[in-house]
C-alpha cells in the first residue's frame, strides 16, 4: 500500500499528457483561425532583351535616313546605338540612336522596364499596370484600365538599385511638357497666322489610346513647343505586356525652320516598331 500514491500520481501525469496531445491533434491552436494569404502570381518576364540589339539594322536604316550613306565606321557607330545608364539590367534597360542627314536629324530610343511587385498580395502584372497608368495619365489621356493597388515599395524607392522612380518622373515630364499644342499648331497653321503657309506634309492624328498592342497602349504626339523656332516633332508610343512596360520615342528636327516634319509618318513608323517589339517579347 506504500506504493499506491506513487502509482496514482504517475497515472495522473499520463492522463494529462494525453489530453494535451489530443488538444494539439484536434487543431486547438490560437492561430487556427488566422487567414492564409496566397501569393499573387509572378509576371511572365524574368529578363529583358538587349536593348541595342532589339531593333534590326534594316529597321534602323528605315528610321534613320542618311545613316546608310555614311562611311562604314560611322555607319556602324550610328547603328550600334548608345545604351542607357542603368543600375540593374534585369529591371530597366534602354538604347538610343541618332542620325544627322542634310535635310533633318532623326533620333530614336527604346526603353524596357520590367516591373516587380514586392507585395505578395499584388501581382507583377497589376503593379506594371499601375506604372503604365501613371504614364497614360501624364500624357493627358483617359485610362481604360483601373490602376492596381499602390505598392509600398513606391514609398521606399523600391530599393532595387534601378532608376525606376526618376524614369517615371521623366516620363511625366516628357508627357506634360507640350502635351496640349495650341489650336494653330494642331491645325498645321503657321506661327504668323497665315493658313497653310507651313502646314505639315501629312497632318498627324492627335494623342490617343491604341488598340491591339500589348495589354494596353497609347500614342502621344508632341509637335514643336509654342514659341520655339525649331520644328522639332516627337512621337512616343508606350505599351504594357504582362509585367514589362516599353516606351518608343521617335523624333525629327529639320535642318531648316521652314520645313515641317511629317507627323503622320513619324506616328506610323513609331507604331510599327512598337508592334515589332511586342511580337519579339511574345516569342
Amino acid at each position: 500500500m506504500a506504493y499506491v500514491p506513487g502509482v496514482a500520481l504517475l497515472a495522473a501525469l499520463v492522463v494529462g499528457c494525453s489530453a494535451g496531445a489530443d488538444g494539439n491533434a484536434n487543431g486547438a491552436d490560437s492561430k487556427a483561425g488566422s487567414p492564409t494569404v496566397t501569393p499573387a502570381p509572378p509576371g511572365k518576364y524574368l529578363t529583358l532583351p538587349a536593348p541595342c540589339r532589339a531593333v534590326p539594322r534594316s529597321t534602323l536604316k528605315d528610321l534613320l535616313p542618311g545613316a546608310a550613306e555614311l562611311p562604314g565606321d560611322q555607319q556602324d557607330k550610328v547603328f550600334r546605338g548608345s545604351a542607357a545608364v542603368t543600375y540593374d539590367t534585369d529591371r530597366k534597360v534602354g538604347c538610343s540612336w541618332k542620325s544627322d542627314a542634310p535635310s533633318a536629324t532623326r533620333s530614336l530610343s527604346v526603353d524596357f522596364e520590367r516591373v516587380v511587385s514586392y507585395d505578395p498580395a499584388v501581382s507583377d502584372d497589376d503593379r506594371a499596370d499601375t506604372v503604365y497608368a501613371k504614364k497614360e495619365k501624364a500624357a493627358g489621356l483617359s485610362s481604360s484600365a483601373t490602376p492596381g493597388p499602390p505598392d509600398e515599395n513606391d514609398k521606399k524607392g523600391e530599393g532595387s538599385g534601378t532608376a525606376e522612380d526618376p524614369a517615371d518622373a521623366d516620363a511625366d515630364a516628357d508627357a506634360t511638357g507640350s502635351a496640349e499644342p495650341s489650336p494653330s499648331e494642331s491645325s498645321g497653321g503657321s506661327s504668323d497666322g497665315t493658313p497653310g503657309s507651313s502646314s505639315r506634309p501629312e497632318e498627324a492624328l492627335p494623342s490617343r489610346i491604341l488598340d491591339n498592342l500589348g495589354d494596353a497602349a497609347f500614342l502621344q504626339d508632341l509637335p514643336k513647343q509654342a514659341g520655339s523656332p525649331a520644328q522639332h516633332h516627337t512621337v512616343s508610343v508606350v505599351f504594357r505586356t504582362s509585367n514589362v512596360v516599353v516606351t518608343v520615342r521617335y523624333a525629327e528636327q529639320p535642318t531648316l525652320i521652314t520645313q515641317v516634319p511629317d507627323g503622320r509618318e513619324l506616328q506610323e513608323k513609331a507604331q510599327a516598331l512598337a508592334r515589332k517589339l511586342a511580337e519579339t517579347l511574345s516569342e
Side-chain angles (χ1 to χ4, degrees):
M1 297 298 294
Y3 297 99
V4 171
V7 173
L9 177 60
L10 180 59
L13 291 174
V14 171
V15 171
C17 291
S18 299
D22 290 343
N24 290 334
N26 292 330
D29 195 312
S30 59
K31 297 181 180 179
S34 301
T36 57
V37 177
T38 302
K44 176 180 179 180
Y45 301 102
L46 302 178
T47 60
L48 291 171
C52 292
R53 294 200 297 269
V55 184
R57 177 170 286 222
S58 58
T59 302
L60 290 173
K61 287 182 178 180
D62 179 53
L63 295 174
L64 303 171
E69 283 70 41
L70 294 172
D73 55 342
Q74 296 182 32
Q75 183 180 142
D76 289 340
K77 183 178 180 180
V78 170
F79 291 142
R80 190 180 308 123
S82 177
V85 177
T86 180
Y87 299 103
D88 188 346
T89 55
D90 285 334
R91 292 289 306 279
K92 192 174 182 66
V93 295
C95 192
S96 60
W97 299 262
K98 184 177 180 182
S99 172
D100 296 316
S103 60
T105 295
R106 292 207 185 188
S107 59
L108 169 71
S109 69
V110 294
D111 293 287
F112 300 87
E113 180 178 356
R114 186 176 70 91
V115 182
V116 177
S117 172
Y118 294 97
D119 185 345
V122 180
S123 69
D124 293 347
D125 283 18
D126 287 343
R127 172 64 184 133
D129 192 45
T130 300
V131 172
Y132 167 83
K134 287 181 181 179
K135 297 177 184 291
E136 190 179 88
K137 181 179 180 181
L141 299 171
S142 58
S143 178
S144 57
T146 302
D151 192 343
E152 286 299 323
N153 289 286
D154 279 347
K155 302 175 183 178
K156 302 176 184 177
E158 295 218 351
S160 64
T162 66
E164 181 172 352
D165 290 340
D168 285 344
D170 291 343
D172 293 349
D174 290 344
T176 56
S178 56
E180 296 183 2
S182 64
S184 62
E185 286 181 289
S186 61
S187 63
S190 67
S191 58
D192 62 2
T194 305
S197 62
S198 63
S199 60
R200 295 186 179 91
E202 286 289 342
E203 189 68 22
L205 295 173
S207 301
R208 60 197 181 277
I209 303 296
L210 298 176
D211 296 325
N212 303 318
L213 176 56
D215 296 314
F218 70 86
L219 179 148
Q220 186 177 24
D221 185 81
L222 298 173
K224 73 163 190 170
Q225 295 184 2
S228 173
Q231 296 286 352
H232 189 275
H233 196 127
T234 301
V235 171
S236 294
V237 175
V238 180
F239 70 90
R240 178 183 74 83
T241 174
S242 186
N243 61 318
V244 170
V245 179
V246 182
T247 301
V248 174
R249 292 186 182 90
Y250 187 42
E252 178 183 353
Q253 181 168 329
T255 303
L256 301 176
I257 60 173
T258 55
Q259 297 176 322
V260 181
D262 187 336
R264 187 175 292 272
E265 179 196 8
L266 294 175
Q267 288 194 12
E268 290 175 351
K269 291 188 174 183
Q271 288 185 76
L273 174 56
R275 296 186 189 283
K276 285 183 179 180
L277 295 176
E279 292 173 1
T280 301
L281 284 171
S282 299
E283 293 177 351

